[in-house]
C-alpha cells in the first residue's frame, strides 16, 4: 500500500517589502535609465524615437551584436529559467538539454525566414503586413487572430512565472505582482521605442549572465551544501535511490535515457516553433536589423541563448533535486523541508528559487528574484512593442486610418502600450484565478499555435503558396490538432479536464498533429493549383514618412537627420524615394534595378548559408549528441558528468562574453559620438 506524500508550504525567505521594492523600485530604476539614454539619443544622435520608423523598427539599422543580445534577452522568458529548472528537477540532466534544444534550433532556423523578410519585404513593419499584401484581408484577419493569441499566451507565461516566484520568495500578493510588473516596462517602451528595448536587453543580459556565473561558482565551488561537481554527482545518485525517475534508465537523474525527458524535448521543440514564428517580437528584430546582418544575428543568438537554460537549469534544477532532503544544522534548509515540492509548486516553477535559497540563503533568494524579474521585463518589453505594432499598423492603419501619419502611429502605439500593460495584469489575474500556471501555459502553447507555423513561414519564402493552402493548413490543422488533443487526453489519462490537457503526452499529440497536418494541407493544397508569386507586392510595402520630421527645430545638432533621410540611408536602394509632401500608401509597385538584383542575390546566398548552418546545428543538438546516449541507455559516470558540466560552464562564459562585448565593440563610434557630444554640452553650459 503506497503512502501519499505530504506537502508543505513554500516558506518565504524575504519580507514582502523586498518583493515590492524589486518589482516597483528596480522597474522604475531601469525606466529612469532608459529615459536618460533616450534623451541623449534624441539630442545627440540622428535617430529620434519620435519617428514611427525609429519607434517600431529602430530605423532598420541595428547591428548584429545588439540584435543577437536582444534575441537572447527576449527569448529568456521566466519559463526559460523556471521551467528548464523544473525539467532538471523532474527528469534529470536531459531536461536542461532538451529545453535548450527546443529554443535554439528555432531561432537559428528563423534566420532563414529573416533573410527572406529582408529579401522579399524589407519595408514591412509586421509579419501581418506581408500576409495582407500577398493574400488580402481574409488571410490578414485569420493570422491577426493567431498573432494576438500568441502574445496573450506569452504575456500570461511571463507574468504567472514572475508573480509565482515573487510570491514564493517574499509573500507578495500574486495579483499585485501581476499588475505592477508591466508598469515600469511600459514607461521606457513608450519613451524609447524598439531601440530602447534593445539597449535594455543588453543591460538585462549582463545581469543574467553574471547571476548564472554566481550560482555556478556557488554550487560547484563554495557552497557548504554541495561545493563541488563530484559532491553534486553523489547527491544525485542518492536522489536516484530515494526518488527514482519513472522512465529513466535505472531511475537515475544522470542519464539521457529518459522517456519523460524525450517527450518533454519533443513538446519543447514544437512549442518553441510557435513561440518564434507566431510572435511579432521576433519578426520585429528581423525587421529592425541591418539587411545584410539579419541572419548572422539570429545564428549567433541561437548559439548564445542555448547556454542560458543549459547552464542555469543544470546548476539550480539539479541542485534542487540534490538538496531536497537538506537539513543542515546551519540554515537555510530546503524551503519545503521535510517535504518535496508539491505538484503545484513544481508546475509553478519553484525548483530554481528553492535551490537558490539553500545555496545562498537570503542572498540567493534576492538573486533569483532579480534574474526572474529581468527575464520578465526584457521579454515583456519585446511583447509590448510587438503588440503595439500589430495594433497600430494592422488594425488602426489598415482598417480605420489608411492615411495615418507617422505621428499618429506613434501616438496610437503609446496609447495601446498603456492599455496592454494593464490588460496583461488583468489577463494574468484571470488565469491565476482559474488555477492555470506557468507549466500549463508552457505545454498548451504548442497545441494552440502550431497550425499557424508553416503557413506563416511559407508566406514570406515560398512563391507557390496559395491563399487556399494557408486557409486549409491553418484551419484544418487547428481542427485536427484540437481533435487529437481531446482524444489523446481521454485515451491516455482517462478523462478530459484542465489538468490532463496540459500533460506532456496530451500536448505532444496536439502539437505534433497540428504542425504535421497543417504542413501537409498547406503544401498539398497549394501544389494542386500552385501560384507563381514574384513578391513584387510585398517588396512594395513602404515605410512611413513622418510629417513631424520635415520640420525639425533649428536647435538640433547637425547629426540629426530627418526620418526620410535616415530611411534613404538604411534602405539603400531597396525602394525609390517618394515625395516628402504626399501621404504614403500601403504598397507601391516598383521594379528591381541592377543594385536591387545584386542585393537580392546576396540575400539568397545568405539564406543558403543559414539553411546549411541551421541544418548542421539541428543535426548536432537533436541527433548526434542526445540520441546515441538515449538508445545506449548510458548513465553518466562521475568523470563524464564532470566533463558535461564543464561544457555547460564554458558555453555560458563564451556566450556571456560574446553578448556583452560584441554590442559595445560594434557601436563604439556611436557611443563615442554621444559621450563626446554630452561632454561638450556640459562644458558649454558650465562656461556660461
Amino acid at each position: 500500500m503506497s503512502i501519499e506524500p505530504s506537502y508543505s508550504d513554500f516558506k518565504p525567505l524575504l519580507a514582502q517589502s523586498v518583493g515590492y521594492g524589486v518589482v516597483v523600485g528596480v522597474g522604475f530604476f531601469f525606466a529612469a535609465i532608459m529615459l536618460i539614454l533616450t534623451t541623449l539619443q534624441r539630442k545627440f544622435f540622428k535617430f529620434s524615437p519620435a519617428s514611427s520608423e525609429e519607434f517600431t523598427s529602430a530605423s532598420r539599422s541595428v547591428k548584429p551584436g545588439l540584435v543577437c543580445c536582444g534575441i537572447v534577452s527576449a527569448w529568456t522568458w521566466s519559463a526559460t529559467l523556471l521551467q528548464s529548472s523544473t525539467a532538471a528537477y523532474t527528469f534529470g540532466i536531459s531536461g536542461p538539454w532538451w529545453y535548450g534544444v527546443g529554443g535554439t534550433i528555432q531561432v537559428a532556423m528563423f534566420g532563414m525566414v529573416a533573410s527572406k523578410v529582408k529579401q522579399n519585404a524589407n519595408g514591412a513593419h509586421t509579419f501581418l503586413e506581408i500576409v495582407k499584401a500577398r493574400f488580402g484581408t481574409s488571410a490578414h484577419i485569420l493570422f491577426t487572430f493567431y498573432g494576438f493569441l500568441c502574445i496573450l499566451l506569452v504575456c500570461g507565461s511571463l507574468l504567472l512565472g514572475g508573480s509565482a516566484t515573487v510570491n514564493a520568495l517574499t509573500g507578495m500578493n500574486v495579483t499585485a505582482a501581476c499588475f505592477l510588473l508591466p508598469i515600469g516596462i511600459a514607461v521606457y517602451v513608450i519613451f524609447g521605442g524598439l531601440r530602447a528595448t534593445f539597449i535594455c536587453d543588453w543591460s538585462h543580459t549582463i545581469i543574467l549572465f553574471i547571476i548564472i556565473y554566481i550560482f555556478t561558482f556557488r554550487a560547484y565551488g563554495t557552497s557548504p551544501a554541495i561545493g563541488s561537481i563530484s559532491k553534486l554527482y553523489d547527491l544525485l545518485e542518492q536522489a536516484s535511490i530515494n526518488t527514482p525517475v519513472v522512465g529513466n534508465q535505472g531511475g537515475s537523474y544522470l542519464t539521457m535515457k529518459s522517456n519523460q525527458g524525450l517527450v518533454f524535448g519533443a513538446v519543447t521543440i514544437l512549442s518553441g516553433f510557435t513561440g518564434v514564428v507566431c510572435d511579432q517580437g521576433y519578426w520585429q528584430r528581423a525587421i529592425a536589423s541591418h539587411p545584410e546582418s539579419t541572419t548572422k544575428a539570429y545564428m549567433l543568438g541561437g548559439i548564445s541563448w542555448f547556454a542560458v537554460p543549459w547552464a542555469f537549469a543544470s546548476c539550480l534544477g539539479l541542485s534542487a533535486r540534490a538538496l531536497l532532503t537538506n537539513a543542515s544544522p546551519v540554515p537555510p534548509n530546503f524551503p519545503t523541508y521535510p517535504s518535496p515540492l508539491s505538484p503545484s509548486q513544481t508546475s509553478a516553477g519553484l525548483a530554481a528559487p528553492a535551490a537558490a535559497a539553500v545555496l545562498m540563503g537570503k542572498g540567493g533568494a534576492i538573486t533569483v528574484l532579480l534574474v526572474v524579474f529581468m527575464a520578465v521585463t526584457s521579454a515583456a518589453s519585446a511583447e509590448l512593442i510587438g503588440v503595439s505594432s500589430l495594433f497600430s499598423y494592422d488594425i488602426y492603419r489598415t482598417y480605420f486610418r489608411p492615411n495615418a501619419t507617422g505621428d499618429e502611429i506613434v501616438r496610437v502605439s503609446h496609447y495601446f502600450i498603456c492599455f496592454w500593460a494593464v490588460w496583461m495584469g488583468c489577463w494574468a489575474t484571470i488565469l491565476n484565478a482559474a488555477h492555470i500556471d506557468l507549466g500549463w501555459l508552457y505545454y498548451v502553447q504548442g497545441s494552440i499555435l502550431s497550425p499557424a507555423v508553416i503557413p506563416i513561414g511559407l508566406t514570406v519564402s515560398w512563391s507557390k503558396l496559395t491563399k487556399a493552402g494557408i486557409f486549409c493548413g491553418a484551419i484544418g490543422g487547428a481542427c485536427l490538432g484540437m481533435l487529437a488533443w481531446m482524444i489523446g487526453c481521454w485515451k491516455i489519462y482517462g478523462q478530459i479536464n484542465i489538468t490532463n490537457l496540459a500533460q506532456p503526452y496530451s500536448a505532444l499529440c496536439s502539437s505534433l498533429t497540428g504542425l504535421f497536418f497543417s504542413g501537409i494541407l498547406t503544401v498539398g493544397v497549394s501544389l494542386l493549383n500552385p501560384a507563381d508569386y514574384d513578391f513584387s507586392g510585398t517588396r512594395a510595402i513602404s515605410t512611413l514618412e513622418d510629417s513631424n520630421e520635415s520640420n525639425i527645430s533649428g536647435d538640433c545638432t547637425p547629426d540629426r537627420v530627418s526620418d526620410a533621410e535616415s530611411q534613404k540611408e538604411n534602405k539603400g536602394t531597396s525602394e525609390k524615394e517618394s515625395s516628402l509632401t504626399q501621404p504614403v500608401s500601403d504598397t507601391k509597385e516598383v521594379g528591381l534595378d541592377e543594385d536591387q538584383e545584386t542585393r537580392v542575390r546576396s540575400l539568397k546566398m545568405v539564406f543558403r548559408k543559414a539553411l546549411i548552418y541551421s541544418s548542421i546545428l539541428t543535426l548536432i543538438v537533436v541527433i548526434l549528441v542526445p540520441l546515441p546516449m538515449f538508445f545506449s541507455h548510458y548513465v553518466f559516470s562521475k568523470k563524464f558528468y564532470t566533463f558535461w558540466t564543464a561544457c555547460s560552464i564554458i558555453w555560458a562564459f563564451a556566450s556571456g562574453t560574446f553578448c556583452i562585448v560584441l554590442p559595445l565593440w560594434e557601436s563604439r563610434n556611436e557611443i563615442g559620438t554621444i559621450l563626446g557630444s554630452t561632454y561638450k554640452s556640459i562644458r558649454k553650459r558650465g562656461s556660461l
Side-chain angles (χ1 to χ4, degrees), residues 62-91:
V62 183
K63 297 178 181 179
L66 197 57
V67 174
C68 166
C69 194
I71 292 168
V72 171
S73 185
W75 201 209
T76 303
W77 302 354
S78 51
T80 305
L81 305 174
L82 301 178
Q83 194 66 27
S84 63
S85 297
T86 297
Y89 173 84
T90 307
F91 316 131

Side-chain angles (χ1 to χ4, degrees), residues 165-293:
T165 301
V166 175
N167 171 262
L169 294 176
T170 70
M172 180 181 177
N173 183 271
V174 172
T175 302
C178 288
F179 278 98
L180 290 174
L181 277 167
I183 301 301
I185 309 167
V187 172
Y188 72 74
V189 172
I190 287 173
F191 282 93
L194 184 60
R195 196 179 297 271
T197 69
F198 276 113
I199 297 171
C200 196
D201 287 344
W202 179 75
S203 62
H204 287 180
T205 303
I206 294 176
I207 297 172
L208 169 67
F209 277 106
I210 289 175
I211 289 176
I212 290 176
Y213 302 154
I214 289 172
F215 282 127
T216 298
F217 286 130
R218 182 64 174 171
Y220 301 139
T222 63
S223 169
I226 299 178
S228 69
I229 297 175
S230 175
K231 177 69 178 297
L232 180 57
Y233 180 89
D234 294 336
L235 290 171
L236 290 172
E237 279 200 319
Q238 185 60 44
S240 302
I241 297 171
N242 296 338
T243 53
V245 187
V246 177
N248 280 27
Q249 179 66 26
S252 176
Y253 292 91
L254 296 161
T255 179
M256 293 296 288
K257 172 46 176 85
S258 171
N259 296 341
Q260 294 184 71
L262 189 65
V263 172
F264 172 77
V267 173
T268 301
I269 291 171
L270 294 168
S271 179
F273 274 114
T274 66
V276 172
V277 176
C278 299
D279 191 344
Q280 170 60 20
Y282 290 91
W283 292 83
Q284 203 100 12
R285 280 159 169 72
I287 291 165
S289 60
H290 194 273
E292 281 69 29
S293 62

Side-chain angles (χ1 to χ4, degrees), residues 246-561:
V246 177
N248 280 27
Q249 179 66 26
S252 176
Y253 292 91
L254 296 161
T255 179
M256 293 296 288
K257 172 46 176 85
S258 171
N259 296 341
Q260 294 184 71
L262 189 65
V263 172
F264 172 77
V267 173
T268 301
I269 291 171
L270 294 168
S271 179
F273 274 114
T274 66
V276 172
V277 176
C278 299
D279 191 344
Q280 170 60 20
Y282 290 91
W283 292 83
Q284 203 100 12
R285 280 159 169 72
I287 291 165
S289 60
H290 194 273
E292 281 69 29
S293 62
T294 302
T295 301
K296 176 183 175 183
Y298 276 85
M299 291 177 180
L300 297 175
I303 291 179
S304 299
W305 180 85
F306 185 86
V308 176
W310 189 26
F312 186 89
S314 293
C315 176
L316 288 188
L318 293 178
S319 293
R321 175 56 65 182
L323 298 173
L324 191 61
T325 57
N326 181 68
S328 171
V330 180
N333 296 328
F334 197 81
T336 59
Y337 181 81
S339 306
L341 294 173
S342 69
S344 62
Q345 290 165 344
T346 302
S347 184
L350 299 184
V358 179
L359 291 172
M360 296 175 60
K362 289 187 176 181
I366 293 173
T367 305
V368 79
L369 181 62
L370 183 62
V371 74
V372 170
F373 175 78
M374 294 290 102
V376 172
T377 56
S378 182
S381 67
E383 297 308 311
L384 283 175
I385 199 73
V387 76
S388 72
S389 297
L390 291 185
F391 180 81
S392 57
Y393 284 101
D394 291 293
I395 295 180
Y396 179 75
R397 186 171 179 243
T398 299
Y399 298 112
F400 295 98
R401 292 274 294 175
N403 294 321
T405 65
D407 290 336
E408 291 179 86
I409 292 296
V410 173
R411 185 165 56 251
V412 169
S413 295
H414 289 173
Y415 293 152
F416 196 74
I417 287 170
C418 294
F419 164 77
W420 196 262
V422 176
W423 169 241
M424 281 174 67
C426 297
W427 171 241
T429 302
I430 293 169
L431 293 175
N432 183 63
H435 304 290
I436 290 174
D437 57 20
L438 171 66
W440 196 94
L441 287 178
Y442 181 80
Y443 280 107
V444 166
Q445 177 178 308
S447 302
I448 296 175
L449 298 175
S450 60
V453 170
I454 293 176
I456 291 174
L458 293 180
T459 295
V460 75
S461 57
W462 192 37
S463 62
K464 297 185 184 300
L465 185 66
T466 63
K467 186 174 181 178
I470 64 169
F471 270 91
C472 289
I475 297 176
C479 293
L480 292 172
M482 291 294 137
L483 187 62
W485 195 13
M486 300 302 160
I487 293 175
C489 179
W490 176 44
K491 289 293 185 181
I492 297 171
Y493 298 103
Q495 65 179 112
I496 300 173
N497 56 36
I498 290 178
T499 301
N500 289 342
L501 285 173
Q503 293 296 327
Y505 286 98
S506 298
L508 180 61
C509 290
S510 177
S511 301
L512 191 59
T513 302
L515 185 71
F516 182 72
F517 281 100
S518 170
I520 289 178
L521 290 171
T522 301
V523 174
V525 172
S526 295
L527 290 177
L528 291 177
N529 185 25
D532 188 20
Y533 190 67
D534 62 1
F535 293 99
S536 60
T538 58
R539 286 179 182 140
I541 298 173
S542 60
T543 57
L544 269 180
E545 295 169 352
D546 298 335
S547 60
N548 67 309
E549 292 296 328
S550 61
N551 298 307
I552 298 175
S553 58
D555 58 347
C556 295
T557 65
D559 288 334
R560 284 281 301 277
V561 296

Side-chain angles (χ1 to χ4, degrees), residues 131-151:
V131 173
K132 178 76 162 58
R134 182 167 181 181
F135 295 118
T137 300
S138 56
H140 182 258
I141 292 173
L142 172 64
F143 289 110
T144 297
F145 167 76
Y146 273 111
F148 276 95
L149 184 59
C150 177
I151 292 175

